[in-house]
Amino acid sequence: MIPFSPPHIDQKIIDAVTDALKSGWITTGPRTKLLEKKMAEYCGAPAALCLNSATAGLEIILRWFGVKPGDEVILPGYTYAATANVIIHCGATPVFVDVHADFNISADAIGKAITSRTKVIMPVDFAGLPCDYDAINALVKKHAATFVPETEEQRLLGRMLVLADAAHSVGGTYKGKKTGSLTDISVFSFHAVKNLSTAEGGAVMLNMPAPFDNKELYSLLCIKTLHGQNKDALAKMQKGNWRYDIVEAGYKCNMTDVLAAIGLVELERYESETLNKRRHIFDLYAFAFSHYSWAQVPVFEKDHGQTTSSYHVFALRIKGITEAQRDEIIRLIFEQDVSVNVHFIPVPMLSFYKGLGYDIKNYPVTYDNYSREISLPVYFDMNAEIIQQVVDAVTSAVQKVKG
Ligand SMILES: *Cc1c(COP(=O)(O)O)cnc(C)c1O
C-alpha cells in the first residue's frame, strides 16, 4: 500500500529526541526557545511562539484580540474545521465566504461580507499556496473607518486583525516574502501530516504593526498559554526563584522540549531537503498529468516564481465529474493500493455547521473545488517509481469512471 503522508522520522530525529530526554529538561525550555528564534529568523518575522497546536495558537490570538459573542470572523468555507471551531469557542460567529479556483479565499467575497461586527479575517493558505495578502491587507485598511473597536487591542490596531491560518504554508512565499511575515499574525501547524512536523505542535508568528511591540506581545502570550502564570517552569528553576503568581485564568498549550527537538532537526533541513523534495514531486505529478485533458493540476507557483507554495497538498481536480464520480474514482484508486485523500470537506457541509444553518449552496466555487478534488500522496521517501504508480492508479480509475 502506498501511504498518503507518513512522517519523515530518521536516526537524526531519534537522536535529537533522545538527547532532549537525557538532558533532564523535557517540557518548555531551551529547545523550544531556540526553535522559536529559528522560526522567526526563517520567516523574517519579529517573534514566534511555539505551542502544542495551530488550533491553540489561533484561539489564543482571537481571545487576546477580544473576540466575543456578537462578533463576526470571516474565513473561507474551504478549510479544515479547526479554523471555524476556534471562532465558535470564543462564542463569535463564523462568516464563511467563497474561494477562488486556486482554492484560496476571495478578497472580493471578504469585502462583501464585512459588517460593523467584523473583528478578524482568517485567510487560509490552502495546500501551502499563500493567499493574496496585498489585497487582503489593503481591504482591512480600506474598511478601517467603519471598524468598531471594543477592546484596548482593537483600539490600538484601529482595524480588523488579519490572522492567517498558515497551517499548510511553512516556507511558502508571496511576492518574494516568506509566510509568517505577510500579515499581522500567522499560525503554522506542526501536526503529524504537515510539512514540518513535531508530531503535534504549532507556531504563532507575530508581525503586529506599531504601536504593538511584538516582543512584549510574545511575553504576554507565554503567560496566557501557561495558566496565566507569571513565571515559566524554567524561570522557577533558577535558584531561590520559587514564588509565582497567577495573573489571569490562562490556558495550557505550551510546546515541550522533546517535540521542539524534532522541530529543530526538521527546520534545519527544511529548505534544502524537505521543500526541494516536495517541489520535485509536485513537478513530476504536474508533468505526468499534463498529458491528460481531464486533469486539472493545482497552481503551486505564480508571479514569475515570486509566489510559491510550500508544496503541502497536491490537490488534483478531475474535470467534468460529480462528487459521486469522484468518490468512485477514490474507491478505485484505493483498490490499487494507493492512499489518497480529500482536502477538505467544506466546513458548511459538516453536521455541526449544517445544524447552525450554513448551506454549501452559498459557496459554489468551494463546492465545485471539493467535489472534483483528490489529494495525492506526497512524502519524503517517495521516488519516481512510486509517483508513476500513483499516476497510473489515478489514470486507470478516472478512465473507468469517465469511460
Ligand atoms: C492541520 C490544520 C489546522 C490545525 O492544526 P493543528 O496543529 O492540528 O491544530 C488548522 N487549519 C488547517 C487548514 C489545517 O490543515
Side-chain angles (χ1 to χ4, degrees):
M1 188 82 185
I2 295 176
F4 181 70
S5 172
H8 180 204
I9 304 296
D10 60 3
Q11 196 56 45
K12 240 179 161 166
I13 298 265
I14 293 164
D15 289 345
V17 170
T18 307
D19 287 349
L21 289 171
K22 287 181 174 166
S23 75
W25 197 266
I26 54 176
T27 185
T28 313
R31 284 174 171 81
T32 304
K33 301 293 165 189
L34 184 60
L35 182 59
E36 288 173 341
K37 182 168 169 278
K38 296 204 161 181
M39 281 302 298
E41 282 168 10
Y42 177 63
C43 299
L49 172 72
C50 286
L51 295 176
N52 67 2
S53 72
T55 306
L58 292 168
E59 179 163 341
I60 215 81
I61 296 301
L62 291 181
R63 291 192 183 271
W64 163 75
F65 199 59
V67 172
K68 57 162 193 356
D71 290 342
E72 295 175 355
V73 177
I74 297 175
L75 74 166
Y78 208 78
T79 182
Y80 182 60
T83 327
N85 285 353
V86 294
I87 302 167
I88 299 282
H89 294 174
C90 294
T93 305
V95 176
F96 296 106
V97 300
D98 213 355
V99 296
H100 288 299
D102 72 358
F103 294 99
N104 277 342
I105 194 165
S106 152
D108 286 345
I110 296 174
K112 289 189 188 115
I114 290 171
T115 74
S116 59
R117 291 181 295 277
T118 312
K119 291 297 194 302
V120 180
I121 314 284
M122 292 174 78
V124 177
D125 299 337
F126 180 86
L129 185 72
C131 294
D132 187 358
Y133 286 103
D134 279 354
I136 295 167
N137 290 334
L139 197 67
V140 292
K141 287 195 179 126
K142 191 180 123 192
H143 286 266
T146 52
F147 178 65
V148 184
E150 291 177 89
T151 66
E152 189 53 28
E153 289 74 18
Q154 293 172 13
R155 266 184 288 279
L156 276 177
L157 187 61
R159 58 164 172 78
M160 291 169 275
L161 178 77
V162 181
L163 171 59
D165 178 340
H168 294 182
S169 65
V170 186
T173 58
Y174 175 75
K175 299 186 180 173
K177 280 181 78 181
K178 280 223 151 61
T179 56
S181 67
L182 299 172
T183 193
D184 301 325
I185 298 180
S186 313
V187 180
F188 293 138
S189 172
F190 303 148
H191 174 264
V193 302
K194 300 300 197 309
N195 277 16
L196 195 166
S197 175
T198 59
E200 293 283 359
V204 179
M205 310 304 295
L206 303 173
N207 191 37
M208 292 295 289
F212 289 93
D213 178 331
N214 288 290
K215 298 266 168 12
E216 231 169 68
L217 177 55
Y218 167 83
S219 303
L220 180 72
L221 292 172
C222 284
I223 292 171
K224 284 186 177 294
T225 51
L226 198 79
H227 305 294
Q229 186 170 300
N230 66 343
K231 254 176 224 171
D232 67 16
L234 197 64
K236 280 187 66 203
M237 280 287 290
Q238 308 309 311
K239 205 169 170 181
N241 202 20
W242 59 272
R243 190 175 285 278
Y244 63 88
D245 195 12
I246 297 292
V247 296
E248 66 178 74
Y251 292 85
K252 180 60 165 63
C253 48
N254 52 311
M255 175 175 273
T256 71
D257 263 26
V258 174
L259 298 187
I262 303 178
L264 285 167
V265 174
E266 285 286 69
L267 183 57
E268 175 96 24
R269 64 191 182 190
Y270 188 65
E271 195 77 24
S272 60
E273 296 182 30
T274 310
L275 281 188
N276 254 337
K277 184 69 195 256
R278 298 186 81 94
R279 184 189 315 116
H280 185 58
I281 294 167
F282 270 54
D283 283 340
L284 290 177
Y285 274 143
F287 180 71
F289 287 112
S290 70
H291 299 107
Y292 301 101
S293 59
W294 46 258
Q296 185 178 351
V297 167
V299 174
F300 48 89
E301 210 178 286
K302 54 187 198 182
D303 302 329
H304 310 287
Q306 291 294 99
T307 297
T308 54
S309 174
S310 66
Y311 317 100
H312 178 52
V313 174
F314 193 92
L316 180 71
R317 275 165 291 181
I318 314 298
K319 291 179 191 163
I321 57 166
T322 64
E323 182 182 353
Q325 285 176 310
R326 187 274 314 275
D327 293 355
E328 176 61 7
I329 291 168
I330 289 183
R331 196 185 65 75
L332 292 170
I333 295 172
F334 269 102
E335 247 178 27
Q336 297 168 83
D337 284 337
V338 173
S339 307
V340 291
N341 225 318
V342 172
H343 289 82
F344 295 98
I345 301 174
V347 183
M349 291 179 75
L350 302 169
S351 295
F352 176 77
Y353 288 90
K354 263 201 303 209
L356 293 178
Y358 295 102
D359 186 346
I360 189 64
K361 286 200 183 66
N362 298 322
Y363 318 97
V365 184
T366 295
Y367 181 74
D368 177 62
N369 286 341
Y370 152 77
S371 65
R372 302 186 293 108
E373 199 268 351
I374 302 172
S375 308
L376 305 186
V378 180
Y379 55 91
F380 192 79
D381 297 318
M382 262 186 135
N383 55 33
E385 192 187 325
I386 297 173
I387 292 168
Q388 192 56 50
Q389 258 175 277
V390 174
V391 172
D392 291 345
V394 172
T395 303
S396 90
V398 169
Q399 279 161 357
K400 254 185 214 151
V401 170
K402 287 194 69 154

